[in-house]
Amino acid sequence: MPEPSIRTARPKDEEQLQRLDRASWSYLHAVTGPPAPGDPFFRDTAGPADHLVAELDGRVVGYIRLGFPTPLPSNAHVRQIRGLAVAEEARGKGVGHALLRAAVEDARARGFRRITLRVLGHNAPARALYASEGFVVEGVQPEEFFLDGTYVDDVLMGRKLV
């Protein structure tokens, strides 16, 4: 099985990433409604340089969006994973693991001390993936979201980089 290749996103990836975002959307991991067909993937706060993409056979099959937990200089040493998606047909092929490892290495190389994320409590597959890559639960906000008729916990996870 070929290994996914990971690279920084490029502006020309926008259309493929929009399709992936729409196809992978679910209340299992999203706290907002589904993206509309015309919604841009890249934004002022999350441009191509803030995304790593995974390719298999020359096709974009996953992404991880990186950012900061807050705009405060006092926690600029923390990198935050702000989204991760893998195409249905690429699941189980190491894409999620490869994206997480690349994000951790990128953050470490840039001098960040920690990397964090938020995951919905009912998203057991994502929580298991993150735990397998060294992320630990650092807090839980019970019933933080009301999604599709159900109250859902917001789970805070993180790991040290130094």
Side-chain angles (χ1 to χ4, degrees):
M1 182 181 315
E3 290 286 315
S5 63
I6 309 296
R7 63 170 172 79
T8 302
R10 299 184 283 250
K12 71 179 186 174
D13 295 324
E14 175 128 22
E15 189 176 320
Q16 289 183 78
L17 289 168
Q18 283 173 315
R19 279 196 303 271
L20 173 59
D21 221 26
R22 284 193 304 274
S24 64
W25 181 90
S26 163
Y27 278 123
L28 181 63
H29 59 79
V31 297
T32 60
D39 287 350
F41 181 81
F42 296 125
R43 310 174 195 120
D44 291 341
T45 57
D50 300 309
H51 295 82
L52 298 175
V53 298
E55 289 182 321
L56 280 174
D57 300 321
R59 241 176 11 92
V60 172
V61 294
Y63 74 83
I64 193 163
R65 177 176 289 144
L66 301 164
F68 298 92
T70 73
L72 301 171
S74 58
N75 81 326
H77 61 285
V78 179
R79 194 67 159 147
Q80 186 176 53
I81 295 171
R82 308 197 84 187
L84 184 148
V86 175
E88 184 71 37
E89 70 274 10
R91 293 182 186 162
K93 297 181 179 178
V95 173
H97 288 281
L99 283 165
L100 282 169
R101 289 175 189 150
V104 165
E105 287 312 308
D106 179 72
R108 186 177 282 127
R110 292 174 176 220
F112 289 97
R113 295 182 55 81
R114 291 178 29 78
I115 188 166
T116 64
L117 59 90
R118 297 168 69 171
V119 61
L120 294 174
H122 64 222
N123 192 345
R127 292 179 64 183
L129 170 65
Y130 299 137
S132 75
E133 291 296 332
F135 288 81
V136 296
V137 173
E138 297 179 335
V140 177
Q141 295 176 301
E143 299 184 351
E144 186 71 7
F145 298 103
F146 186 71
L147 303 171
D148 201 30
T150 305
Y151 289 98
V152 181
D153 295 349
D154 187 15
V155 180
L156 313 175
M157 298 181 80
R159 65 174 278 185
K160 290 182 178 182
L161 297 174
V162 293

